[in-house]
Amino acid sequence: MRAAGRHTKNPLRRGGITADTVTTIIKAAAKAAELTPMPTPAELAAEARAKAEAFEAAAAAETAEEANAVIKAWRTAKRATCAAVRRITGHSMRRGCIQALLDAGNPPEVVAVHSRHSPRSAAFDAYRNKQLSWAQNPAATLGLAA
């Protein structure tokens, strides 16, 4: 078992909070705050039907390649459905913190060091919120913005 990302053979470092614990806490809080949608019984039933139909079609396929294609199509559709649903995880906290620090006007290189990224890291750049706020509206300098 791991605790806080450290190996637990050392008795002085045993216990603590694990990554799984953080995930459970954040997902439960998001669910309680109704930030993530819960599937309805009808949606769950439709998902179960789609899975059963895919596996029946795969079993009836004439070749293994056809069966694999049917299962792959079902999995691809399922992944697309899951990707369309808002997910909140422990990683959401990391991304949100980085975006909040940047939005507060902190220099990106300072935020990158704080979050243990290389300042020129493509991963760090992906965390940045690319949309400009109204406070950053360049038209404001022209006196045209209300």
Side-chain angles (χ1 to χ4, degrees):
M1 174 177 265
R2 294 176 58 166
R6 296 183 301 248
H7 198 276
T8 57
K9 284 188 177 180
N10 180 344
L12 298 175
R13 294 186 171 202
R14 286 197 182 139
I17 192 165
T18 66
D20 290 339
T21 306
V22 171
T23 298
T24 302
I25 291 168
I26 290 171
K27 285 186 175 188
K31 182 179 175 183
E34 298 179 358
L35 296 175
T36 54
M38 292 300 300
T40 64
E43 291 170 333
L44 292 173
E47 183 180 319
R49 266 192 316 277
K51 180 178 181 179
E53 290 169 3
F55 278 88
E56 285 175 19
E62 293 182 14
T63 66
E65 290 81 17
E66 289 177 9
N68 287 338
V70 168
I71 297 300
K72 183 178 179 180
W74 168 73
R75 286 188 179 138
T76 300
K78 183 177 178 183
R79 283 189 195 111
T81 302
C82 289
V85 174
R86 182 179 190 185
R87 295 182 322 136
I88 296 179
T89 66
H91 198 261
S92 303
M93 304 302 286
R94 178 176 174 85
R95 180 182 188 99
C97 178
I98 290 170
Q99 288 178 343
L101 290 170
L102 291 169
D103 289 346
N106 292 293
E109 50 279 354
V110 172
V111 176
V113 170
H114 175 76
S115 63
R116 297 184 177 182
H117 285 96
S118 166
R120 293 183 249 349
S121 165
F124 176 75
D125 194 46
Y127 288 117
R128 293 184 185 194
N129 188 350
K130 302 292 186 192
Q131 297 177 355
L132 295 176
S133 68
W134 279 109
Q136 298 169 316
N137 184 347
T141 60
L142 301 174
L144 301 174

